[in-house]
Amino acid sequence: MTFVFRRPECRTRRRSHALFTQHLRESGHKVCICGGYHYQHRPGSPYCERNPQSAALLASRYGASDEEVADIALDLALAPPPAAARPRKAMACPF
């Protein structure tokens, strides 16, 4: 079995890294390198730091009990969204 590189947006597959990076350059899509995975991945993937539930999934990965994971997920669901995710308020028209 050979390692296959997958494009984050359309999930097409490439068998060589050179073809994969060429395809990414041509398409303009970005990959995430946050450290949630040991490879470049799609932004918002389950263990990606951009995923709002990544803390609960990481706790589960590192051996937390089901109750602890459920508590973390509940805390994340009830917490207000980060400032970057909140919609901006429209400015009043000065005229």
Side-chain angles (χ1 to χ4, degrees):
M1 177 188 266
T2 60
F3 189 72
V4 176
F5 299 95
R6 292 181 66 187
R7 181 172 158 212
E9 300 295 327
C10 70
R11 298 179 182 234
T12 57
R13 292 169 172 83
R14 299 291 185 258
R15 294 209 179 265
S16 75
H17 190 265
L19 290 173
F20 178 69
T21 54
Q22 177 186 359
H23 185 69
L24 285 177
R25 272 194 310 270
E26 291 171 355
S27 66
H29 290 132
K30 304 292 181 201
V31 292
C32 184
I33 54 171
C34 69
Y37 290 94
H38 64 278
Y39 51 86
Q40 297 176 347
H41 56 275
R42 188 176 71 254
S45 296
Y47 296 107
C48 178
E49 293 173 359
R50 294 183 185 182
N51 185 339
Q53 293 292 322
S54 67
L57 295 169
L58 285 172
S60 176
R61 177 192 272 181
Y62 291 116
S65 68
D66 291 340
E67 293 84 20
E68 292 173 330
V69 173
D71 288 342
I72 293 170
L74 181 63
D75 289 343
L76 291 172
L78 296 177
R86 287 186 217 141
R88 294 184 179 181
K89 294 181 181 178
M91 295 179 59
C93 180
F95 302 104

